Amino acid sequence: MAVGLARSSVECRALMKTFYCQVCGQMIFFDNAQCLRCGSQLGYLPDQFILSALESCDESRWRSPDGSLYRKCANTSTWQVCNWMIPAASSDQFCVSCSLNETIPDLSQPENLDSWRKLEQGKRRLVYNLQRLGLPVISKKVDPVGGLAFEFLKELDAASEEERVRTGHINGTITVNIVEADDLQRELTRLNLNEAYRSILGHFRHESGHYYWWRFVNNSTLLEPFRALFGDERTDYKKSISAYYTKGPSPNWQSAYVSAYASSHPWEDWAECWSHYLTIIDALETAQAHGVVLARDHSRHLFTPTDSYRSESFDEMLEEWLPLTYAINSINRSAGQNDLYPFVLPGPAVNKLRFVHRVVKQGRSESSPA
């Protein structure tokens, strides 16, 4: 296995595409609002999938290098928690990501603002994933029945069992307990639950999987193929989850699932596979953007990852993904760190990921304009 870089100066903070300031050429990053070299105002343009330098036109409008006009999201102007822009002709106050919010934390409490900022960063990365895949990202304000919404809630210290805030999804609404933005508490929870991986972005990807199952698989021609691979989702969910937390994962879960939690119920198996799928395509795009060059095997045949967001088959992605995981895990071990990707993909799990790819392609075609 070999790994190399086509460019010598690469920073690990970047995610997904690599962006450069159009004014001075400095590398800039997805959450940046200002270029640190030349001071240019930056904004992410969701309609173009680029982070762009912007020129002020008047009090409210900004011009991108191609001449398009934009306005700042209201959460930029008021709270400085967003760097996404809105086309100037739009009447929307919030960008495509912030418009998905139904409930945010009480911002009169200063600690909540920092937590909310972290959650918004993770949500924007998720929305980027979904839009790059061509999947519908429509607010419940536009589509009350099939749309997507987020609630960021804080649990009261004296909350009863019924009042506890549980991260989850129901009928298009994703709820996130804002304690997940606390690095220490999230790590303690990860250790208590014996999880290999737990992150804000991971939560968003997982819960979005439940949403797209509800939207694309449930009551569709895909339901029976789903059951053939993942099992019958009509199995009592509460009993299955309770059994998982009291008795542990299914015996030999490593032979059929992407994670221990995936063995708890077919819905969770699907959501874990969906989350892994988004992780794979995003990491491959990042590798491609940074000019990573890999060798598939001892033959030393070198290749650069292709556009994972438009791969025709999951097998194409897997052929590039496995060498990349070998490389990044080996690099982490060399630095005395745990594996960056601490998972193994057994044959049945690969078949499930192939099915996720099938659903994504079908969902993309359904959301494309006629």
Side-chain angles (χ1 to χ4, degrees):
M1 177 187 64
V3 59
L5 290 173
R7 286 186 293 270
S8 60
S9 58
V10 174
E11 294 188 43
C12 299
R13 293 176 296 160
L15 183 75
M16 55 201 71
K17 285 184 177 181
T18 302
F19 302 106
Y20 295 91
C21 176
Q22 293 90 342
V23 175
C24 68
Q26 170 77 2
M27 182 182 285
I28 51 180
F29 301 96
F30 189 64
D31 292 310
N32 287 166
Q34 186 176 41
C35 176
L36 297 181
R37 174 183 288 175
C38 69
S40 294
Q41 179 74 35
L42 304 175
Y44 178 72
L45 314 182
D47 55 336
Q48 300 188 46
F49 298 114
I50 61 170
L51 183 66
S52 177
L54 301 167
E55 178 187 0
S56 177
C57 296
D58 50 44
E59 291 184 357
S60 63
R61 297 184 304 165
W62 297 79
R63 181 181 289 109
S64 66
D66 69 355
S68 301
L69 296 177
Y70 294 88
R71 291 182 293 106
K72 291 184 178 181
C73 173
N75 283 335
T76 304
S77 305
T78 307
W79 302 108
Q80 293 78 52
V81 298
C82 181
N83 68 337
W84 283 29
M85 305 298 290
I86 306 166
S90 171
S91 60
D92 295 333
Q93 287 185 295
F94 297 98
C95 71
V96 64
S97 179
C98 291
S99 66
L100 301 174
N101 292 342
E102 282 203 348
T103 306
I104 63 173
D106 178 4
L107 300 181
S108 66
Q109 301 180 37
E111 68 274 13
N112 288 350
L113 178 59
D114 185 57
S115 296
W116 181 44
R117 180 178 289 108
K118 292 178 181 178
L119 293 174
E120 289 295 340
Q121 288 175 342
K123 178 159 66 72
R124 287 195 296 272
R125 284 169 161 80
L126 169 69
V127 173
Y128 172 91
N129 283 164
L130 301 177
Q131 287 192 319
R132 284 279 282 121
L133 282 171
L135 296 175
V137 182
I138 302 172
S139 166
K140 277 191 173 293
K141 300 177 184 68
V142 176
D143 181 359
V145 176
L148 178 62
F150 289 85
E151 292 190 330
F152 300 135
L153 304 179
K154 184 175 184 178
E155 189 173 290
L156 299 175
D157 292 337
S160 65
E161 184 64 22
E162 292 74 21
E163 295 172 325
R164 290 189 61 192
V165 175
R166 291 178 171 84
T167 296
H169 163 269
I170 183 168
N171 297 333
T173 298
I174 292 174
T175 300
V176 179
N177 188 332
I178 70 168
V179 73
E180 293 295 340
D182 185 316
D183 296 339
L184 176 58
Q185 292 301 316
R186 190 176 62 253
E187 179 63 10
L188 288 174
T189 301
R190 186 190 71 80
L191 293 173
N192 288 336
L193 297 179
N194 195 29
E195 295 176 340
Y197 172 86
R198 189 180 184 96
S199 71
I200 293 174
L201 182 54
H203 279 307
F204 282 119
R205 286 173 172 165
H206 177 99
E207 299 305 334
S208 74
H210 288 301
Y211 167 69
Y212 284 103
W213 185 92
W214 172 72
R215 176 152 183 168
F216 290 142
V217 180
N218 189 34
N219 297 323
S220 77
T221 58
L222 292 167
L223 190 54
E224 288 308 317
F226 165 84
R227 288 172 178 166
L229 284 171
F230 294 85
D232 193 335
E233 83 289 350
R234 292 168 294 187
T235 303
D236 191 291
Y237 180 78
K238 288 186 177 180
K239 287 184 179 179
S240 297
I241 297 300
S242 177
Y244 172 80
Y245 284 118
T246 56
K247 300 177 182 179
S250 300
N252 303 316
W253 64 265
Q254 296 95 333
S255 64
Y257 300 94
V258 297
S259 69
Y261 187 57
S263 70
S264 63
H265 188 273
W267 278 336
E268 299 305 336
D269 192 6
W270 159 267
E272 287 288 271
C273 287
W274 178 273
S275 180
H276 275 248
Y277 181 85
L278 295 185
T279 298
I280 289 169
I281 59 171
D282 208 11
L284 286 174
E285 182 185 45
T286 303
Q288 179 193 41
H290 284 302
V292 172
V293 180
L294 296 162
R296 286 187 173 86
D297 51 40
H298 65 276
S299 66
R300 313 294 287 180
H301 174 66
L302 300 178
F303 73 98
T304 298
T306 55
D307 184 359
S308 54
Y309 281 95
R310 289 298 179 264
S311 294
E312 281 301 310
S313 72
F314 179 73
D315 288 353
E316 291 179 19
M317 295 164 55
L318 189 63
E319 191 175 1
E320 298 177 349
W321 175 240
L322 293 179
L324 181 60
T325 62
Y326 303 152
I328 59 180
N329 284 346
S330 296
I331 291 170
N332 263 32
R333 293 174 189 175
S334 297
Q337 301 297 317
N338 294 329
D339 287 353
L340 187 63
Y341 184 77
F343 304 98
V344 176
L345 298 178
V350 171
N351 287 333
K352 295 170 186 176
L353 287 163
R354 291 189 181 111
F355 181 78
V356 171
H357 187 74
R358 174 184 171 185
V359 173
V360 166
K361 290 182 70 176
Q362 185 163 322
R364 179 189 301 151
S365 64
E366 289 179 6
S367 65
S368 299

